[in-house]
Amino acid sequence: MKKSIRLKEEKFYGIIKECVKSVLMETTAQDAVLSLISQANEAYRNAYETQGGDETPLMDKEGNSYGLFSEIYLDGRGYIVFPFAKTAFGEHNGVEKIRVFAKKNGKILLFNGDYFTEGWKDAKKLLKQIVRDSEIGTKHFKGYNPDWENSETPEEKAANKTAIRNFNKEIGRKVSVGTEYA
């Protein structure tokens, strides 16, 4: 009889332990998602303020500028909402939603995703891209010299192209972006 009670107690404690572990994993995943969203929003705000309220303070490696019309957020259905401002160019136009959480058997699970732009892996990649692009946009705003676009001699043109290439390498853009303006 005592052995039977002890087995039931061990089983009960095992169930409680699994429930606590599940809740902790859910909380950790949610904290990681919210932390990265907060980091991306902060990087965007810094770029926006540094550039004096420019509508497109982010710049990708291709040299395309883009921006957000409000903060990135996690909605109640498990999607991260990226409110990209509509621009004439670039890959980010309009609101983009990526599902990161799924509910299964009453538990909230981190959804890694199986499809293009679907899941935590893709959302994390895009959030990190926004952080990186805000740094590129800020460095471009602070360091670009418009005089590089004006040249009167072939030697000056070559020097300006070299300056643009070096600057692009320094800020993290593709080296050849903008050299056609020299």
Side-chain angles (χ1 to χ4, degrees):
M1 186 90 157
K2 287 184 180 181
K3 191 174 186 181
S4 162
I5 292 174
R6 198 166 80 205
L7 287 175
K8 286 182 182 179
E9 285 177 356
E10 288 176 7
K11 188 175 182 181
F12 177 72
Y13 288 124
I15 291 171
I16 291 175
K17 187 177 177 181
E18 283 299 314
C19 289
V20 169
K21 185 178 176 183
S22 174
V23 168
L24 286 175
M25 286 176 56
E26 289 175 18
T27 305
T28 304
Q30 289 173 348
D31 288 346
V33 169
L34 293 174
S35 173
L36 196 52
I37 290 172
S38 176
Q39 185 181 355
N41 282 330
E42 183 65 29
Y44 180 79
R45 273 192 300 276
N46 289 341
Y48 182 81
E49 290 169 6
T50 301
Q51 297 180 36
D54 184 21
E55 292 178 358
T56 55
L58 305 175
M59 182 177 287
D60 64 12
K61 287 185 172 198
E62 303 291 329
N64 298 321
S65 296
Y66 66 100
L68 304 169
F69 61 82
S70 70
E71 289 199 342
I72 301 165
Y73 63 95
L74 179 65
D75 74 0
R77 301 188 78 207
Y79 288 84
I80 295 179
V81 180
F82 296 90
F84 292 112
K86 293 197 181 255
T87 58
F89 48 82
E91 64 181 87
H92 305 296
N93 262 332
V95 177
E96 191 172 322
K97 293 182 178 184
I98 299 178
R99 184 177 182 190
V100 293
F101 288 111
K103 196 169 188 179
K104 185 176 183 181
N105 297 333
K107 295 181 183 179
I108 298 173
L109 303 172
L110 189 63
F111 183 69
N112 280 325
D114 296 329
Y115 307 107
F116 182 69
T117 66
E118 189 70 34
W120 172 236
K121 291 178 184 176
D122 294 317
K124 181 168 60 171
K125 182 179 173 183
L126 188 53
L127 288 166
K128 287 182 178 184
Q129 179 184 347
I130 289 171
V131 171
R132 184 186 66 238
D133 290 352
S134 69
E135 293 170 1
I136 292 172
T138 300
K139 288 177 183 176
H140 183 267
F141 177 78
K142 288 181 176 179
Y144 187 76
N145 184 354
D147 291 336
W148 291 333
E149 296 176 12
N150 301 324
S151 56
E152 296 178 9
T153 65
E155 295 82 21
E156 190 177 0
K157 184 176 183 175
N160 287 346
K161 279 189 175 188
T162 303
I164 291 172
R165 282 190 175 102
N166 291 338
F167 177 71
N168 285 341
K169 188 175 183 181
E170 181 183 314
I171 67 170
R173 280 197 320 183
K174 286 190 175 180
V175 178
S176 62
V177 174
T179 55
E180 65 273 7
Y181 299 119

